Every structure is written in structure tokens, then in C-alpha cells.
């Protein structure tokens, strides 16, 4: 099958000769390194599910515990609707410029919307926060679930500290990170997607089978008003973290062929709708049935609260471990590529195994250090969910839509976009403040490296 190749994005206006040459050179390199455009609509569905359904689903019952039945359900449904709308916007904007131009990367669309100099500063920091933040959270998640699996599977084994398990999990990535590119981790990514669907289903089915705990309560936790407010803010971030696929939407659409009669947005939107349906049947049962079973005392990782049947809970925890191994690599690969490009282009290093060994091992070591030092799963979800995921998923696509499409003021499109921007910015500021404050508070009572 012959892949469809499109010309690189047009050069920005009002730039000098040097910038024009740099723009052409960079886009030529991107075209050479880009993925083959041979994917079908179900590929986009699969990749979107892989990017979105992650370990954050296990914290949704805990978010419900702080928000309550009514507000929690409303925020979850609202987030699902807003992010479905913004993912549609990104799909539409992928080929907004006529003539075959395709924006295959988030920052390219940012350059088109905000200008060649401002665009990367608006988009790239948010993407890095999403990617690095996910990797830190997945270090914590992998270590905790590996510890839980071993405690269930081997009751007579020596109990190791949680920090040791996080280090064991991190050591796996010292080897996997040496794989050269995305294609090399395709098998791991496929296993991760299957595992995410499996442990989500096991979680809510096990809760339903277990039933409600004794003296279950759905009232708000007995804390001070200030603490409760910050915990609610953090819960908003936990929900934001669960809707994380937007950072790779354009890269996914870049793999789909496009012709004037059948542009890539048609199969991509079909795949995105399918992915969001799968996301709904994972998220809503886990959030509501988990909260129904445990009430206000639910853990920030639902699997840690479940104990029977032991073999099933052990299997689910191992599924989480396999999933976050693949997810860590999916989010780390673009960061590896960016770091190595800096060393090659600016510092004149040679590509190859020695460069990969140093740069990638350093990155894995740093995320491992932060994961061991701050193993507060729910608080980390809230902080990174607000600081990184809320902008990229909730309101940055709306801002780019307003800048590029320029809908008529006070029109329906104008009101919808500004409504999403207001909601998204509130969730960003509230959950960032709540997550950071909770990390500080929880760290004051935590025995580090325990």
C-alpha cells in the first residue's frame, strides 16, 4: 500500500531569510522522520484508547469521595463532553490550511495559531508537563502495584519497602528506554492497551461482587473547611488527569492517509468517537461502583482497597504494572527524541547507543528520584492533572480554534468555546493549587523513602 505524504506546513509570514531556511529544513526533517500514512480508522481508536485510559481511572472513586454523588457525576460527565468536543476541534484543525498541509504535531498547530515564535512557548511546556508528569506518576503506580502483587502472590516472602519496589520498577525502564524509537515499543504499547481495559473492568466487577463495606458512608470527610476545599480542588485534577489523549491526537491523525475526497478527519473522528465510547464504559462504572462500594473511605488507588478474590486482584495489579510499563515508554519517547535532538544539533554529538545510554538513563533516574521522593499517587494526579492536562485537553484547543477560525462574537461557537475555556482554566488553577498544597501537607506526615 502506498502511503500518502503531504507537503510540510507553509513558512510563517514576516520572517527573515535565515528563519525561512530553518523552517524549511526542520519541516523537511520532520517529513523524513514522520510515520507512514497507512493507518485505518480503527488504528486511531486503538491509539486514542491507549493514550487516554490509564492508571488515572483508578483514582476516580477517590475523586468522587471528595466531590459527592451529584457534583462528582456532573464534573465527570462534563469533562467527558468537553474533551470530546476539543478532540473534535483538533481533528478538524489538522488540515485547516488548504493545499495538502497537515499539522502533524501539536506545536506546529500552535505555531499556526499563535505565530512561529510564541506558538512553541505556549504548547511545548504543556506537552512536557504532561509527558514528564505522567512518567513520574507511572513510576509511583508501577511500584505500588508491584508491591501489592507480591504481597498477595507470596505471603511468606520478605516484605520490602515501597521505595524499593519503585526502584525495581524503574530499573525495568533503564533497559526499555534504550530501544531506539516508537516502532520498537509497539508490542509493549499493544499489551498496555489491552491491560488498561482489563484492569478497569476487573476493578468495577470486583467492587460489584464485593458489595458495600460495613457502615459505608457517602458524607463528606470530617476535615477542616480549608482542607476539604483543597481536597476538592485536587479531586478536580484527578478527573482532569483521566482525559489525557489530546497531547498525541495530531500525531495519531498523522498516520492516516488523506485525499481531497476523503480527508483524514473523517476516519479519525470515527476512531475518536469509538475511543470515547470505550472510555465511557471504563470510567463511569469504575468511578461510581467504586464509590458505591467504599464510600468516603475509598483509597486513591482502587485496586489497593480490594482484597478478594486474591488471585483476581493480584492479576489486576500485575495488569496495571504491564500497562504503566508501556505507557511510561509512550510518554517518554518524545522527550527522549527532543533531548537527543538538542545534543545532536546544538552540541554536535553523534547519534547512537552511547548518547541514548547517557541521556535516557539520566531521564529515567530523575523520574525515579521524584517518584520515590513524592509517592503521593492522588496528590500527584491532581497536581499534574491541573497544571498540564487541563490546558492541553480542556481549553488550549478552544483558544486555537478562536484564533484560527475566528467565529462571530456571541455566536453559538463563540459561547461554547469560551465556556470550555472558563471551565478549563478554573480546573487548572484549582487543581494545581489543591494538588501542590496536598503534596506539602502529606509530605509533612510521611516517612520519606519508607
Amino acid at each position: 500500500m502506498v502511503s500518502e505524504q503531504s507537503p510540510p506546513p507553509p513558512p510563517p509570514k514576516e520572517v527573515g531569510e535565515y528563519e525561512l531556511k530553518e523552517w524549511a529544513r526542520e519541516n523537511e526533517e520532520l517529513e523524513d522522520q514522520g510515520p507512514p500514512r497507512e493507518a485505518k480508522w480503527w488504528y486511531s481508536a486503538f491509539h486514542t484508547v491507549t493514550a487516554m485510559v490509564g492508571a488515572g481511572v483508578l483514582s476516580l472513586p477517590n475523586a468522587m469521595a471528595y466531590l459527592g454523588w451529584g457534583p462528582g457525576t456532573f464534573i465527570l460527565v462534563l469533562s467527558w463532553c468537553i474533551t470530546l468536543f476539543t478532540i473534535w476541534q483538533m481533528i478538524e484543525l489538522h488540515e485547516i490550511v488548504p493545499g495538502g498541509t497537515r499539522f502533524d504535531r501539536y506545536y506546529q498547530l500552535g505555531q499556526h495559531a499563535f505565530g512561529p515564535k510564541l506558538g512553541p512557548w505556549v504548547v511545548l511546556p504543556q506537552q512536557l508537563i504532561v509527558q514528564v508528569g505522567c512518567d513520574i506518576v507511572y513510576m509511583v503506580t508501577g511500584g505500588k502495584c508491584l508491591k501489592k502483587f507480591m504481597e498477595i502472590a507470596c505471603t511468606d516472602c520478605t516484605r520490602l519497602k515501597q521505595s524499593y519496589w519503585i526502584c525495581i520498577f524503574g530499573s525495568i525502564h533503564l533497559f526499555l528506554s534504550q530501544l531506539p524509537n516508537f516502532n520498537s515499543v509497539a508490542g509493549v504499547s499493544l499489551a498496555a492497551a489491552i491491560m488498561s481495559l482489563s484492569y478497569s473492568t476487573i476493578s468495577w466487577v470486583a467492587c460489584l461482587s464485593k458489595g458495600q463495606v460495613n457502615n459505608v458512608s457517602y458524607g463528606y470527610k470530617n476535615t477542616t473547611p480549608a482542607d476539604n476545599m483543597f481536597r476538592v480542588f485536587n479531586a478536580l485534577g484527578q478527573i482532569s488527569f483521566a482525559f489525557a489523549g489530546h497531547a498525541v491526537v495530531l500525531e495519531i491523525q498523522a498516520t492516516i492517509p488523506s485525499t481531497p475526497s476523503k480527508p483524514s478527519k473523517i476516519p479519525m473522528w470515527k476512531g475518536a468517537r469509538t475511543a470515547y465510547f470505550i472510555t465511557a464504559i471504563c470510567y463511569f462504572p469504575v468511578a461510581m461502583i467504586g464509590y458505591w462500594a467504599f464510600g468516603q473511605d475509598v483509597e486513591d488507588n482502587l485496586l489497593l482497597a480490594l482484597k478478594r478474590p486474591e488471585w483476581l486482584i493480584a492479576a489486576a495489579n500485575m495488569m496495571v504494572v504491564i500497562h504503566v510499563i508501556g505507557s511510561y515508554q509512550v510518554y517518554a519517547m518524545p522527550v527522549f527524541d527532543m533531548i537527543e535532538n538538542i545534543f545532536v544539533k546544538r552540541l554536535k554529538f553523534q547519534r547512537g547507543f552511547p548518547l541514548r545510554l547517557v541521556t535516557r538513563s539520566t531521564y529515567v533516574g530523575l523520574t525515579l528520584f521524584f517518584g520515590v521522593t513524592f509517592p503521593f499517587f492522588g496528590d500527584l494526579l491532581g497536581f499534574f492533572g491541573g497544571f498540564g492536562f487541563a490546558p492541553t485537553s480542556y481549553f488550549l484547543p478552544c483558544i486555537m480554534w478562536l484564533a484560527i477560525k475566528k467565529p462571530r462574537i456571541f455566536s453559538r461557537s463563540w459561547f461554547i468555546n469560551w465556556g470550555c475555556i472558563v471551565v478549563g482554566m478554573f480546573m487548572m488553577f484549582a487543581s494545581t493549587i489543591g494538588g501542590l498544597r496536598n503534596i506539602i501537607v502529606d509530605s509533612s506526615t510521611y516517612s520519606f523513602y519508607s
Side-chain angles (χ1 to χ4, degrees):
M1 179 177 180
V2 179
S3 61
E4 294 281 343
Q5 295 292 339
S6 62
K13 298 178 180 179
E14 300 178 0
V15 295
E17 183 179 355
Y18 174 77
E19 288 82 359
L20 189 63
K21 291 180 179 179
E22 285 295 301
W23 177 272
R25 182 184 59 79
E26 289 178 4
N27 280 287
E28 184 178 353
E29 290 179 359
L30 290 174
E31 274 302 305
D32 292 339
Q33 299 170 4
R37 305 188 195 275
E38 300 174 350
K40 304 296 184 181
W41 72 266
W42 54 84
Y43 282 70
S44 67
F46 162 76
H47 289 308
T48 305
V49 169
T50 303
M52 189 166 297
V53 180
V57 65
L58 300 175
S59 74
L60 292 178
N62 182 257
M64 293 284 292
Y66 286 103
L67 296 170
W69 278 114
T73 304
F74 174 75
I75 294 296
L76 194 59
V77 173
L78 182 65
S79 295
W80 188 88
C81 293
I82 288 177
T83 55
L84 178 60
F85 171 68
T86 54
I87 207 171
W88 170 80
Q89 288 181 310
M90 296 192 70
I91 292 170
E92 290 288 319
L93 292 175
H94 182 79
E95 293 176 277
I96 191 64
V97 175
T101 297
R102 299 178 67 172
F103 298 111
D104 291 343
R105 290 160 177 80
Y106 210 141
Y107 82 88
Q108 288 181 342
L109 185 59
Q111 285 179 309
H112 181 66
F114 307 119
K117 294 184 178 180
L118 179 61
W121 285 102
V122 174
V123 175
L124 281 178
Q126 302 298 333
Q127 279 193 298
L128 286 175
I129 290 169
V130 169
Q131 292 158 350
V132 179
C134 268
D135 284 341
I136 293 173
V137 171
Y138 289 154
M139 278 288 185
V140 177
T141 309
K144 284 188 173 183
C145 289
L146 194 58
K147 178 176 183 287
K148 183 71 173 179
F149 170 79
M150 289 302 299
E151 289 176 350
I152 297 174
C154 186
T155 55
D156 297 329
C157 295
T158 303
R159 302 296 189 191
L160 296 179
K161 295 180 179 180
Q162 178 176 284
S163 300
Y164 293 168
W165 287 111
I166 298 176
C167 290
I168 291 171
F169 179 80
S171 66
I172 298 172
H173 294 289
L174 290 174
F175 295 97
L176 288 179
S177 64
Q178 303 310 315
L179 297 172
N181 51 46
F182 265 119
N183 293 333
S184 304
V185 297
V188 180
S189 180
L190 174 61
I194 297 172
M195 293 300 104
S196 64
L197 296 174
S198 300
Y199 69 69
S200 297
T201 304
I202 289 174
S203 298
W204 68 262
V205 170
C207 287
L208 199 61
S209 176
K210 174 185 176 65
Q212 294 174 307
V213 298
N214 295 330
N215 301 317
V216 64
S217 173
Y218 302 111
Y220 292 106
K221 293 178 181 287
N222 294 323
T223 60
T224 64
D227 183 71
N228 187 65
M229 179 185 68
F230 284 116
R231 299 288 175 180
V232 168
F233 286 173
N234 187 69
L236 296 176
Q238 290 175 282
I239 292 177
S240 300
F241 193 97
F243 295 94
H246 294 59
V248 293
V249 166
L250 296 180
E251 285 82 355
I252 294 172
Q253 192 169 350
T255 64
I256 299 176
S258 183
T259 63
S261 60
K262 190 178 181 182
S264 64
K265 65 183 181 181
I266 296 175
M268 182 64 192
W269 177 232
K270 184 177 181 180
R273 293 201 311 269
T274 304
Y276 259 74
F277 172 76
I278 296 173
T279 300
I281 62 178
C282 288
Y283 283 11
F284 291 103
V286 170
M288 296 180 181
I289 296 176
Y291 181 46
W292 168 82
F294 292 97
Q296 64 174 329
D297 296 322
V298 66
E299 297 272 357
D300 61 1
N301 184 332
L302 182 60
L303 284 180
L304 299 181
L306 295 168
K307 301 184 184 300
R308 294 186 183 279
E310 290 187 348
W311 66 270
L312 186 63
I313 305 308
N317 276 278
M318 183 50 65
M319 289 176 184
V320 176
V321 173
I322 296 172
H323 164 71
V324 295
I325 286 174
S327 296
Y328 182 99
Q329 292 299 317
V330 167
Y331 281 103
M333 279 295 173
V335 183
F336 294 157
D337 184 63
M338 182 196 70
I339 295 173
E340 288 167 14
N341 282 338
I342 292 175
F343 274 86
V344 170
K345 294 179 180 179
R346 298 187 180 181
L347 303 178
K348 308 303 179 183
F349 279 73
Q350 293 294 322
R351 290 190 185 274
F353 177 74
L355 179 62
R356 292 204 306 269
L357 181 63
V358 174
T359 57
R360 299 185 182 196
S361 298
T362 301
Y363 175 83
V364 172
L366 289 173
T367 56
L368 175 59
F369 169 76
F370 282 104
V372 171
T373 307
F374 304 103
F376 315 116
F377 179 71
D379 297 344
L380 288 173
L381 289 184
F383 177 73
F384 287 119
F387 202 53
F389 288 84
T392 55
S393 298
Y394 284 75
F395 65 85
L396 192 53
C398 295
I399 295 176
M400 292 192 294
W401 184 273
L402 292 173
I404 296 171
K405 300 285 283 188
K406 295 180 173 58
R408 182 171 52 84
I409 296 178
F410 303 130
S411 64
R412 183 177 65 176
S413 174
W414 187 88
F415 274 115
I416 292 175
N417 278 282
W418 275 107
C420 294
I421 292 170
V422 171
V423 171
M425 293 193 73
F426 171 77
M427 293 188 71
M428 180 186 71
F429 287 114
S431 53
T432 300
I433 294 170
L436 181 60
R437 182 262 184 187
N438 290 344
I439 290 173
I440 295 171
V441 170
D442 291 344
S443 65
S444 65
T445 60
Y446 179 77
S447 179
F448 284 88
Y449 308 108
S450 61

